[in-house]
Amino acid sequence: TEKHFRRARGRKVQLGLADGTQLSGRIGETRDGSTALVVRQGRNWAVREISLTDIATAVVQVEFSPPAQAELE
């Protein structure tokens, strides 16, 4: 639900989309039925807006070190 994604903001997550695509990234802002996912695009970071209805599975990843500042901006 949207509430779960709002609570997980800033956490690293592995998403399985309804079309079978797997994505890994950091949860950003969640609103209006979609969430921003910060993903690695080459050497840079990109933000992808993903509709919550397109997400089939989501698993929060365990991290032992703090994320890079560029990932959180």
Side-chain angles (χ1 to χ4, degrees), residues 5-29:
F5 282 91
R6 279 196 302 269
R7 286 181 46 206
R9 185 174 183 170
R11 306 273 310 266
K12 196 167 190 172
V13 68
Q14 178 75 35
L15 297 180
L17 302 182
D19 66 1
T21 305
Q22 295 288 316
L23 292 173
S24 181
R26 195 166 300 280
I27 297 289
E29 184 179 18

Side-chain angles (χ1 to χ4, degrees), residues 8-13 24-29 35-40 45-48 61 63 65-68 71-72:
R9 185 174 183 170
R11 306 273 310 266
K12 196 167 190 172
V13 68
S24 181
R26 195 166 300 280
I27 297 289
E29 184 179 18
T35 190
L37 185 70
V38 179
V39 295
R40 185 65 103 163
W45 299 101
V47 178
R48 288 188 58 181
Q61 303 294 307
E63 292 185 280
S65 59
E71 232 179 318
L72 298 175

Side-chain angles (χ1 to χ4, degrees), residues 26-68:
R26 195 166 300 280
I27 297 289
E29 184 179 18
T30 301
R31 61 184 160 89
D32 301 327
S34 69
T35 190
L37 185 70
V38 179
V39 295
R40 185 65 103 163
Q41 191 171 38
R43 300 184 81 186
N44 299 317
W45 299 101
V47 178
R48 288 188 58 181
E49 287 290 328
I50 300 174
S51 172
L52 296 180
T53 58
D54 292 340
I55 299 172
T57 61
V59 178
V60 173
Q61 303 294 307
V62 176
E63 292 185 280
F64 295 105
S65 59

